[in-house]
Amino acid sequence: MAPRTAATATEIQESHGMPGLQFNQPLSWRAGKPIAVADLLRRLQALSKEMQAMDQEQIERESFTKVAKELVNPNLLMHKDKGVKALTAACLVDILRLCAPDAPFTGQQLKDIFNLIIHQILPALGDPSHAYNSQHVYVLDSLAVVKSIVLLADIPNNETLITNVFKICFDVLASPIKISNGEGLQKNVEMNMTAMLGCLVDETQALPSDAVDIIVAQFLRTDPRAVSGSSGKNKKNGIMDEKQSTLLLRQLPPAYNMAKYICNACPENMARYFSQYFNDIVIDASQSSGHKVSNKNKKRHSDNMDDSDEDPSGGPNEEGISDLRKVHGLLRELWRACPGVLRNVIPQLEAELSAENIQLRLLATETFGDIISGIGAAGPPAPPNLDPAAYPSNALADPAENTASLNLVTKPSSPQPFPRAHPQAYTNYLGRRLDKSALVRAAWTTGLGRILTTSAGGAGLSQQEEDRLIVDLGRTLGDSDEKVRIAAVRVVSSFSFRDIIHKLGRSGGVDEPGSVLAIFAERVKDLKHPVRAEAMPVLARIWGVAVGEISAGNEEVCALLKGIPSKILNTHYTNDIEVMSLLDRVFFEQLLPLNYPPIKAKTAKSTQENSQGHTESQGESVDPDKIRTERILFLVRGLDERAKKVFYANQSRQPTLGPYVSTFLGRCEEYNGGVMDQNETQIKEHLTKLIKSFAGRFANPQQASTDLWKFAKMHDRRSYQLIRFCMKPDTDYRTFIKALRELSRRIVEISSSTTVSNSLVETLTSLLYQISLIVYNKSHIPAIMEYSRTDEKSLAATAHELLRQISSNTPEVLKAHVQAICKTLQDEAPTVKKANDAGAVDNLKACASFASKYPKEISQYPKFRQAMTSFALHGSPAEAAKYAVSVIWAASEKKEMIVRDLVQQCLKGFKYGCEGFLSRLATLSQLVLLAPDEISQDSTDAILDIAIKQILMQVREPSKKSADAYEWSPIIDTEALAKIWALKILVNRIRSHDDAESLPAVAAQVYQVLSRLIDQWGELLPARNTPPSHKSRLRLLAARLYLKLCTHKSHEALLTASAFNALAQVAQDNIQEVRAGFLQRLKKYLHHQKLPQRFYTIPFLFAFEPSDQVRSDVTTWIKSRAAVFSNIRSQQVGSSSKVNTVLESVVARLISLIAHHPDYSNETEDLVDLSRYFIFYLQNVATEDNLSLIYHIAQRVKACRDAVLAAPAPDAPLTEADDRLYHLSDLAQIAIRKYEDTQNWTVQTLPGKVRLPSSLFSEIKSHSEAQRIAEHNYLPEEVENGVEHLLKATLRASRPGHSKKRKSEGDPESREGKKVKALPVRKAAATGSTKEKKATPKKAAMKTKTPTKAKKTTEPKEMDSGERRRSGRAKPMEKNYVERDSEEDDEEMYMDAAVEEEQDTASEVDAPANESDPETDENEGTSADQGQEEVREDGKADEESGEEQREEPKVEESTPKPTSRSKRKMTTSPQSKPKARPTKAKAKAKAKAKEKAKAKPKSTRSTAASTRGKAIQVSSDDDNDDDELSDPPDSA
């Protein structure tokens, strides 16, 4: 081709009068004669330079025709040199710019041009170091600025080109930049690409679907799961390693920003495209439902769905659901980036909320929740760091609590308020709270929490709307389905500390019923353990974070969260072993974390400002033990009474369990990993028993047993030593933590697998929590003593209380600090003119408890002895004198001389009202108990004269009220205190009397005084002018002292049956404080096996208790004891020992007690009312296994006569007392039969025979008389129906959700015409020469319509014991039901104490066997159907006792209140009772009991029962004598 001449160009320019192109060199060539590359490059550069300088408006377009034709030649477009192609593209875009709007190219030529640009130039932009990068950037800039890219829309079949433009541009921005010389991708490249693609979208009528897919994909670049799932083994499920969570993007990717700009620049077009895209995905997923789903996928699909969540209509398969989940995740990010493009999609998404398919509703609900919250594809931000072990603790004034919110991709962001933009969709979304699917409701709950925590994505919520959502959150916490409640609990855990206070706390704190926090706190006692396991750590963590503000005195935080520890500790009363295991873990990991505070150094190296607002300057000492102690004291101070019992009981487990663990470690050493030289069988058997006992304390006994056996076989002596370190009282806190950590490391190193080591570590850690002195650690004692002295932060009272508990339970830890306590007491000693400090009483008690065990450690300095003498004479309150005497007697070397001097000083010039007269009385009361031999007879007479004549027989302020006035006062005046100490003097004197023969004569007067106080309702004087508030105090004290006396067997024998009946009636005193105080002391002594079994009758008199709290406590305690006795009985099966039937035999004593009750009446209405006693008894004691024994004992009463007052002569006629017994026996039998029927139990006849207590009953000698009585029905006809209706009402009230319970075929109420099943009637026992007929095991047919005279029943044929006893109690038990009297029963009660102690080593807090804390009825949530849908799981004790699973935890609230007659019982006026005649025990029975006592193992109670006089030490009973002075625990 000939080169163009200059004349030609000049001619064209002159002809048009406009400048033209001056370039005239050829750019094309013939085949075989190519232009050299260097020349070609030079020419193209010249052309490009010339055209770049030209202006679009002042050129002659025709001058570019020739050049344009040459530039589109394939030789240039497809040249192998990259420079040639780059310069060619630069020239082409200039031609398009200069010739616009009419390009001098055909359609095919344009297609070739864009092929070059798209496939060669644009990808090269990803390499900024390219030699021709400037030409590449120039081409892009021209396309964007001149908008030449719109020509692409005019090319036929341009879908592929348009798609590739989007693909390559996004790839360039998303791909790693190739950097060789330090240069990066220029910012203008991103801007020009964005402008170019936006122009293309705006000018193109319809983007290809692939291009839309490419744009859509960019919004998923913020999702780390999508990015990590694009390659590797996790591609299918998109699972991201937790360690990669820190790799989340800190800024938005360029490709994401470009897609965001495109959508916001062209909202109308993109809205249309996205609507079609979403619709296509939904249609494809719906069509996929017809595909066959593999069994594996089908199973996985239904893993998380209950029967109620199954979708009968079918739906998308797994692949379709996966696609829908991805597109729903995309919608979340689209709302964050460009909400305008979703205006057509939101209605489609709203339609899914009402879809029949559960999965669609679930996805739509989740998506709406995240969209409203402004949460994108990257997911929600990390939850707030609520670290309970952090120091200083979080404070409300902290500027930022969650640094993760700074992450742009996870920070919630909503460009506009969703409720305003789409109000209808928002309303429909809120309606999903009532969805029928629990999965949907759970997802809705999660979304609700995110809306609240993010304030609707930062857009904000109105106060009204926020309050509404918080109320809805409270409702979800009470949902009927556990999945929803778990989701709600997790929502609460996602709140920051500030939001918990300012948002959730707006409706009230944890102690305000109906508030969100209160409902959340009740979840720790939820019916389902998974809910409890989620809620309890969260609740404890909240308190752990708030403890800083609580200690700083923030009133708002205290009011809201102070009650959290009480809520958590009160879960102990559920008696669920899973809850108890969880409670230990939460207590030492959340409430009091072991690693708190995380401070190692003793000195702060830098200035710290803690949450309380105080500044600790450099060099100021920081004591971790004091910081930890302060937290303990704040926790204890906030506990209620019930929670404190649990707290102190849990801390006192170490002295009880420690010896067993020590024995276990010793047996492990003897076991030697399974290799033993001798005693192999004995060692294995003992080790098996120990492991079985320990395993019973775990939620999974089988796994715990396996772990403990592995530990024994591991035989690591270092591990044994580490456990001993943890248990030792002299181990400081730091040593304990080191030992615990080293033990965990050693187990992990020794174990063969991680699973085994984790399980073993968890088991041993849980056991160490129970046997280690963590709270009562020696490291905490100095800080506790400091707080008790300084009253810093008003913690002195709590510190004294804690110190008192430590001294009572584990005085060993005081060994290192006892000298400091002695020094403090020495400095605070009172005088005539100076009173002692109020906290001295606790220090004295601690010192007395320590001195009783380690007397040589107490200071022997004369000044200290003089200080103790001063406390004994002038101490205030009087308890200080009591403890001072105990210290003197236990630790002084010359105690006899000191005692004699004290007696003389106390008696010298004693007069009521003189200085220190109360202290003198307290000192005398303790001296007559501890040192009776050191007191002369004259001094004894003087002491008795003071106690009786000067104190008890005097009324210095006579009452002006009626003689029958009887009331309670919380304040004890001086005269009442004096009488209390005087009465204790009398009782302590006979307690220390060690001569059994002379004891009845010495104790007669004291017993007469106590009985008169009880019978006369606290009145001792004939004038009957004692102040009413004194009478209630004295009656309660007399009852408690009676109980204390009866803890010694010799004294208990002096309590006659009639006196016992009078004592039992204190349980029905008019005043609740008296009843509660009497019950508290009774439970304490019975729990420690210090009272004989007849005292187990008294708690059943609380059947008419009007106080719900007191009644609940009784029920809780009885069921706990029933569980303990059941464990004992299970271990006695097959052994030669007598079967423990303590609570079963109570029914006979209960019948006798009611027969002598002053309110007894034979009227029909009264008899039905009296059946409440038996119903209450059966509800708490009866099981399918023991009901036959209870029925048999109730029958046996009709074979006896009453012997309470005196044993009747053989031929004496029946008395009124006998008639009462027979009425009540028939009444008890009816109640038992009705109860059996309502429980649907099948009870067989009891083999063998049980003898009733001889102190209450005497057998009928005449066989004919016994037969007549047994066959005669003493009850009126209407009684049976009345008992049946009362029993049904009581049981119905005790069931959860009983108010709306539907009747079923199994419900007794639905079987109106069905007759009651009858237990067999045992005929009266024949005596004399007549042979007793064999008991018939077959059930007798006693199905009569009315309780008229019973028909004679023929004895059925005898059958095999296996058929007769469905419960499994067969022949081995038959030989144990032998003839026995009350003395044998009581002896067995004492002998079983050792066995029971091993079974019941938990604490003094008795939890129910099948009934939880009365507050747990709130755990059923707000749904009315919850009581119908859920069944209570109350743990191991249920399986042992056989109680009905659906029993209401709060029986006392639902049980019908007492009738007018029962109310009259509580308000009966005091009346005189007949004097009881003492009964003499048979010498033969006593000798027999002594022989049995020698043969049986020594009881744990034997030492305390036998020590009197000089040998008596300061026992726990003596230490707690001061309880008589304080008010009983308020159970209301």
Side-chain angles (χ1 to χ4, degrees), residues 423-434:
Q424 184 61 39
Y426 179 71
T427 302
N428 290 339
Y429 167 74
L430 294 181
R432 287 304 95 199
R433 182 181 67 83
L434 302 176

Side-chain angles (χ1 to χ4, degrees), residues 391-426:
Y391 181 80
S393 303
N394 290 24
L396 291 176
D398 290 345
E401 298 177 8
N402 188 10
T403 57
S405 61
L406 300 178
N407 190 337
L408 292 178
V409 297
T410 59
K411 182 179 180 180
S413 175
S414 181
Q416 53 183 280
F418 186 88
R420 295 182 184 177
H422 303 278
Q424 184 61 39
Y426 179 71

Side-chain angles (χ1 to χ4, degrees), residues 759-777:
S759 177
L760 183 54
V761 168
E762 184 178 352
T763 299
L764 291 179
T765 302
S766 179
L767 185 61
L768 288 175
Y769 285 160
Q770 303 177 44
I771 64 174
S772 302
L773 291 174
I774 303 176
V775 176
Y776 292 173
N777 192 273

Side-chain angles (χ1 to χ4, degrees), residues 164-220:
N164 289 336
V165 169
F166 283 92
K167 180 178 182 299
I168 293 173
C169 288
F170 283 114
D171 287 346
V172 168
L173 294 184
S175 301
I177 304 302
K178 303 174 183 177
I179 299 176
S180 60
N181 57 358
E183 297 181 359
L185 187 64
Q186 299 176 9
K187 189 65 177 177
N188 63 334
V189 173
E190 179 183 348
M191 297 173 60
N192 288 331
M193 280 188 176
T194 303
M196 179 185 69
L197 296 183
C199 181
L200 186 59
V201 171
D202 193 32
E203 296 296 335
T204 304
Q205 294 183 355
L207 281 179
S209 59
D210 292 340
V212 176
D213 292 345
I214 293 171
I215 298 174
V216 165
Q218 308 315 310
F219 291 99
L220 298 178

Side-chain angles (χ1 to χ4, degrees), residues 906-927:
C906 290
L907 295 178
K908 183 179 180 180
F910 182 90
K911 184 178 180 180
Y912 179 87
C914 66
E915 190 276 329
F917 82 103
L918 289 178
S919 300
R920 297 187 190 185
L921 289 174
T923 299
L924 292 175
S925 71
Q926 197 72 354
L927 289 175

Side-chain angles (χ1 to χ4, degrees), residues 416-664:
Q416 53 183 280
F418 186 88
R420 295 182 184 177
H422 303 278
Q424 184 61 39
Y426 179 71
T427 302
N428 290 339
Y429 167 74
L430 294 181
R432 287 304 95 199
R433 182 181 67 83
L434 302 176
D435 196 279
K436 63 181 179 180
S437 171
L439 291 175
V440 177
R441 298 199 304 274
W444 184 88
T445 302
T446 303
L448 174 67
R450 292 176 178 178
I451 295 173
L452 287 170
T453 55
T454 63
S455 294
L461 292 169
S462 65
Q463 186 73 30
Q464 181 180 1
E465 183 63 23
E466 189 172 76
D467 291 342
R468 173 189 175 184
L469 296 181
I470 291 175
V471 171
D472 288 341
L473 176 60
R475 291 171 178 168
T476 59
L477 284 167
D479 192 90
S480 60
D481 194 278
E482 63 178 299
K483 291 191 289 293
V484 183
R485 299 199 298 275
I486 290 175
V489 169
R490 290 173 179 170
V491 163
V492 176
S493 68
S494 67
F495 279 73
S496 66
F497 177 51
R498 187 182 294 105
D499 286 343
I500 291 173
I501 300 300
H502 296 316
K503 292 184 179 180
L504 298 185
R506 197 178 299 152
S507 61
V510 294
D511 294 323
E512 185 172 344
S515 68
V516 175
L517 289 177
I519 299 173
F520 171 65
E522 292 303 325
R523 297 281 66 77
V524 299
K525 294 183 289 187
D526 196 275
L527 299 176
K528 301 293 185 179
H529 182 69
V531 183
R532 299 192 296 260
E534 286 280 350
M536 193 179 294
V538 176
L539 189 64
R541 194 182 309 125
I542 292 174
W543 184 87
V545 173
V547 69
E549 291 290 342
I550 294 175
S551 62
N554 188 313
E555 296 181 359
E556 180 184 12
V557 177
C558 290
L560 295 177
L561 306 179
K562 185 179 179 181
I564 286 179
S566 296
K567 296 290 184 180
I568 294 175
L569 290 176
N570 282 332
T571 59
H572 180 93
Y573 292 97
T574 61
N575 199 34
D576 190 322
I577 193 64
E578 291 181 331
V579 174
M580 294 180 184
S581 300
L582 178 63
L583 179 59
D584 280 335
R585 180 163 55 85
V586 168
F587 189 86
F588 292 111
E589 294 177 7
Q590 309 292 340
L591 290 178
L592 297 176
L594 297 180
N595 59 335
Y596 177 83
I599 300 175
K600 295 182 180 179
K602 284 286 183 179
T603 303
K605 297 182 179 180
S606 61
T607 301
Q608 299 183 27
E609 183 172 354
N610 57 21
S611 60
Q612 289 82 2
H614 302 294
T615 302
E616 298 175 358
S617 60
Q618 184 174 0
E620 185 179 352
S621 62
V622 176
D623 186 1
D625 293 329
K626 182 177 180 180
I627 296 172
R628 192 183 312 108
T629 302
E630 179 182 299
R631 181 163 178 161
I632 293 172
L633 293 175
F634 273 110
L635 185 145
V636 175
R637 191 176 72 174
L639 297 177
D640 58 28
E641 289 301 322
R642 290 167 58 84
K644 279 186 180 180
K645 291 180 181 179
V646 178
F647 175 81
Y648 290 130
N650 286 346
Q651 310 316 315
S652 63
R653 289 178 297 185
Q654 194 276 343
T656 305
L657 294 177
Y660 293 99
V661 177
S662 299
T663 304
F664 169 71

